[in-house]
């Protein structure tokens, strides 16, 4: 068995956290490839090292003095080295970083140093080989992650390497210039390494015990999710549940490698398993509920719309021409509604409305603002009758008016539109009927 283990920033924020991580790795000999993030926050209003690096580099880039800021970053690492009583020094590394900052080598390089330095410490602490991600994770000249080439060179490099530390978050172009993934991208590195070594499991260690059925800011102490499929996770994540970087599922998904989200501070918790498919029934009919406020609906009416070929395309063209993406498009026989993000739409609304008139010649266009969308997701819904009925009677019971209903064709999710003000009440009602009532 081979396990790839990724540890997030809060799991590596201090020497104390490093010790927990070391214990986790040593507890299982199969945990052979380790992907560290940069040190994160030690307490709630602390600053992540990655943010310190961005700030420091911006000073350097604008020709300002940055010695003090760089020293503060160096101190964060020194504190960890001292706390672990390691005999290594990062002095030369910081000299190189200072020189490169003065030469303005770029923000990507700057940000990547957080993971790079933490990787050096981690490798020394574990006694594992250190492999610089710049050598094995490759981007194309256009800045896209080069998945196949990376898989080849990384697979070759790790072949015969029993144990290694590979820093997360970055790689390099063919000419050696460093390039980072988007924020939170160490999750992607872990997934890439898991694919390259054909791992049995990709363990992603963070500061929560996996995914929760609902947002803990709305539901007090929500139940955890034991197993979720990649598809269900996509349906929930696009509505805003972020424990794992969205792009992290793609490399492992194509190899059928499961991801196990675990909690560094509570290592005995099973966490959440993310899998391709499963015959494990979820504990409840629904796997999770997620949602977002801040949508607008644009209702377009035209008599005989259903008989007019190309009507939908013309309407959507008006949104595309103005650079606006849509979330949902429920329709009726003479109506079509387009749900968009209010903050993206608000400045362009009149342009869009006139474009709809010009392109599609509707009878009327009516905008409604301050709406929320709620996704109720579950692989169990397909085989359970009455799910939609239960959702809507629960909402009626708490006096929530449903503005829109959309059941995805996969029968994996039901999307409900309600007023922003009803958002929390609606989520509580759905949680109560499917979870609390089943306990
Ligand atoms: N350190 C980077 C960030 O803060 C990447 C990561 O932690 O995954 O976004």
């Amino acid at each position: 068995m081979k396990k790839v283990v990724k540890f997030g920033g809060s799991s590596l924020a201090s020497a104390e956290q490093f010790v927990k991580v070391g214990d986790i790795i040593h507890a299982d000999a199969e945990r052979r490839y380790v992907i560290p993030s940069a040190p994160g926050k030690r307490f709630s209003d602390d600053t992540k090292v990655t943010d310190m690096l961005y700030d420091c580099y911006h000073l350097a880039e604008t020709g300002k003095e940055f010695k003090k800021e760089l020293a503060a970053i160096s101190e964060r690492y020194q504190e960890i080295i001292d706390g672990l009583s390691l005999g290594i020094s990062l002095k030369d590394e910081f000299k190189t970083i200072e020189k490169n900052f003065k030469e303005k080598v770029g923000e990507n390089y700057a940000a990547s140093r957080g993971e790079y330095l933490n990787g050096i410490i981690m490798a020394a602490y574990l006694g594992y080989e250190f492999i610089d991600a710049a050598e094995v994770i490759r981007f194309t000249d256009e800045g896209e992650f080069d998945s196949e080439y990376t898989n080849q060179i990384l697979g070759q490099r790790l072949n015969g390497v029993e144990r290694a530390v590979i820093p997360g978050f970055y790689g390099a172009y063919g000419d050696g210039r460093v390039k980072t993934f988007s924020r939170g991208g160490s999750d992607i590195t872990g997934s890439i390494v898991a694919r390259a070594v054909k791992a049995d499991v990709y363990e992603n260690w963070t500061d929560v015990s996996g995914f929760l059925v609902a947002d803990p800011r709305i539901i007090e102490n929500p139940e955890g999710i034991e197993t979720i499929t990649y598809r269900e996770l996509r349906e929930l994540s696009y509505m805003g549940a972020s424990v794992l970087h969205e792009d992290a599922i793609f490399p492992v998904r194509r190899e059928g490698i499961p991801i196990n989200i675990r909690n560094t501070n509570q290592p005995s918790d099973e966490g959440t398993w993310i899998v391709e498919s499963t015959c494990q029934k979820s504990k409840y009919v629904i796997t999770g509920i997620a949602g977002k406020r801040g949508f607008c609906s644009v209702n377009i009416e035209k008599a005989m719309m259903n008989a007019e070929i190309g009507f939908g395309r013309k309407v959507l063209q008006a949104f595309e021409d103005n650079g606006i993406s849509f979330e949902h498009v429920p329709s009726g026989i003479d109506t079509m509604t387009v749900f968009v993000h209010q903050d993206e739409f608000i400045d362009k609304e009149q342009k869009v409305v006139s474009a709809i008139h010009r392109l599609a010649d509707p009878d009327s266009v009516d905008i409604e603002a301050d709406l929320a969308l709620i996704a109720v997701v579950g692989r169990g819904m397909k085989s359970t009758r009455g799910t939609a009925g239960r959702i809507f009677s629960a909402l009626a019971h708490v006096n929530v008016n449903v503005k829109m209903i959309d059941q995805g064709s996969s029968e994996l999710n039901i999307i409900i539109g309600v007023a922003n003000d009803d958002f929390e009440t609606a989520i509580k009602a759905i949680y109560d009927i499917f979870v609390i009532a089943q306990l």
Side-chain angles (χ1 to χ4, degrees), residues 310-328:
F311 183 80
R313 180 183 50 75
K314 289 175 202 157
V315 167
L316 293 179
Q317 174 95 43
F319 289 87
E320 183 180 347
D321 289 352
N322 284 286
I324 291 172
S325 62
F326 65 87
E327 287 291 313
H328 287 281

Side-chain angles (χ1 to χ4, degrees), residues 104-232:
K104 303 181 187 172
V105 290
E107 185 182 73
N108 277 249
Y109 164 83
S112 75
R113 296 305 86 185
E115 271 70 11
Y116 171 80
L117 296 169
N118 230 18
I120 293 176
I121 298 178
M122 177 63 90
Y125 181 54
L126 295 172
Y128 284 16
E129 182 175 345
F130 173 79
I131 296 177
D132 187 354
E135 289 166 24
V136 285
I137 306 264
R138 186 62 67 81
F139 288 86
T140 64
D141 293 344
E142 290 72 43
E144 297 291 326
F145 167 57
D146 191 342
S147 60
E148 296 318 301
Y149 187 65
T150 296
N151 196 44
Q152 190 191 327
I153 56 173
L154 182 58
Q156 275 164 9
R157 178 69 181 81
L158 291 176
N159 190 12
V161 177
E162 187 63 19
R163 292 169 192 281
V165 173
I166 305 140
F169 190 38
Y170 70 95
Y173 293 101
D175 63 8
R177 273 177 308 129
V178 167
K179 162 111 179 85
T180 57
F181 291 106
S182 56
R183 295 299 303 263
S186 299
D187 286 340
I188 309 173
T189 311
S191 183
I192 292 166
V193 173
R195 177 185 173 204
V197 300
K198 301 191 170 30
D200 297 277
V201 183
Y202 167 28
E203 288 181 350
N204 188 294
W205 291 80
T206 175
D207 51 10
V208 291
S209 296
F211 291 95
L212 300 169
V213 172
D215 187 337
R217 287 166 300 186
I218 300 174
I219 305 290
E220 204 179 312
N221 263 329
E223 289 280 305
I225 299 176
E226 284 168 17
T227 309
I228 186 168
T229 64
Y230 291 126
R231 258 185 233 107
E232 287 175 305

